[in-house]
Amino acid sequence: MALLIKNVYVNGEKIDIAIDGKRISAVGKDIKGQFDEIIEADGLTALPAFIDMHTHLREPGYEYKEDIASGSAAAVAGGFSTVCCMPNTKPVTDNKYIVSYIVNRAKEVDLAKVYPIGAITVGLKGETMAEMGSMKEAGAIAMSDDGQPVSTAQMMRLALEYAKDYDLLLCSHCEEKSLINEGVVNEGENATRAGLKGIPSCAEDIMISRDIILAEMLNTKVHICHVSTASGAQLIREAKARGVKVSCETCPHYIAGTDELILGYDTDAKVNPPMRTEKDRQALLKAIADGTVDVIATDHAPHHYEDKDVDFSMAANGISGLESAFSLAYTYLVDSGIISLDKLSELMSKRPAELLKIECGKIEKGGLADITLVDLNKEYQIDSETFKSKGKNTPFDGWKVKGKIMKTLVEGKVKYSV
């Protein structure tokens, strides 16, 4: 199929983009030719479609929260051509059969590209190593016990060694469980004011330190998931300066929100790790600007309303994030002057592709036609009721943001359009 995107902004210049099949055939002004479809994009900006390294699609086992079809629809509505789904499914994605099921189901749905992340340990229990090699052969792109930390340093060491042998990225959920002590929010002034049990930020930092030390000793790579603390970001910054092969991600809710959101007892603001203080938020903005943070990932964690419509201490952790991720990031990072649009594109597309060793969209001749069209000037209110995701759980419902996703193309085909 031949498609032409006319009068679209790329790097501030208004051009046309011609697409033939999965790839871009020409980029320039006033492109002529025969096309099956022409998209008039006057006023819109073209970006490489986004890649989410950290998504929970819930299938198999928790389809009442989300499934591959609804999660993929949410992904393309958020400008994502590609998502990597975490293994805390039921049964856990800890073997080649479940990996194959997810790969095949995503192909049937045919919206976003879906890459499963396999479990590091069987059942996410931290006791027995899962079969990384067979999962990679079946289509797993990385390994993680996300939702649970790898419980012992010895198991983490073995996991890093095995991941190195199979050339797989190991993504670590950093949480020292012994310090949680039934905590549900960030330990500090707002937890005290709300009368809720707190989780100290050092619970995250201790595990970040452990995994950095192990990766440094083994001279191998490790990826730190959903960094939320100022001190965690500093640990990673210092490790990178020493040459440690550590990368990390943070999420839009840590960029835009703080633990003040818990004061209204809105369970949609309950997430793990918890949203932290304004000091932590500012430190993360600095870490994004100076290159300490490699990736902005969503940690999209959709829930059924009954999982959130309970007492705060009993509510499930997680925010439905795919459909608001770009707008929150653009508003709080680019429109506020912290980073450039090109840098945001790198954080949401180029860098995750590099870490995962997959191809991302590239707006040049021969580039993969994974493209998102955005109205950067469009201000709107986030409305969770319009989410394609089954999960409507977001503390940002009603927030005014800027930068609206208008169309998403995956390998040259329009998969979402306003």
Side-chain angles (χ1 to χ4, degrees), residues 250 255 284-291 293 296 333 339 343 347:
T250 193
I255 296 166
L284 289 174
L285 295 180
K286 178 182 176 183
I288 290 167
D290 70 15
V293 171
I296 292 174
L333 292 173
I339 61 172
K343 177 65 174 178
L347 288 160

Side-chain angles (χ1 to χ4, degrees), residues 4 6 16 18 29-35:
L4 181 67
K6 287 192 64 66
D16 297 345
K29 293 183 180 294
D30 299 319
I31 295 174
K32 308 298 182 184
Q34 294 293 318
F35 298 96

Side-chain angles (χ1 to χ4, degrees), residues 9-41:
Y9 285 102
V10 176
N11 297 323
E13 183 182 6
K14 188 180 282 190
I15 60 169
D16 297 345
I17 302 171
I19 298 168
D20 187 4
K22 297 181 180 181
R23 300 202 169 267
I24 294 172
S25 56
V27 175
K29 293 183 180 294
D30 299 319
I31 295 174
K32 308 298 182 184
Q34 294 293 318
F35 298 96
D36 300 296
E37 183 179 355
I38 297 176
I39 297 172
E40 285 289 350

Side-chain angles (χ1 to χ4, degrees), residues 271-324:
V271 65
N272 186 28
M275 283 184 274
R276 307 289 185 179
T277 66
E278 178 63 15
K279 177 183 175 182
D280 292 298
R281 192 182 79 86
Q282 290 295 330
L284 289 174
L285 295 180
K286 178 182 176 183
I288 290 167
D290 70 15
T292 299
V293 171
D294 297 86
V295 170
I296 292 174
T298 71
D299 196 5
H300 174 72
H303 287 290
H304 191 272
Y305 77 93
E306 290 182 350
D307 296 323
K308 289 287 194 176
D309 190 22
V310 292
D311 182 85
F312 200 101
S313 62
M314 299 173 62
N317 287 304
I319 291 170
S320 184
L322 280 167
E323 293 167 80
S324 58

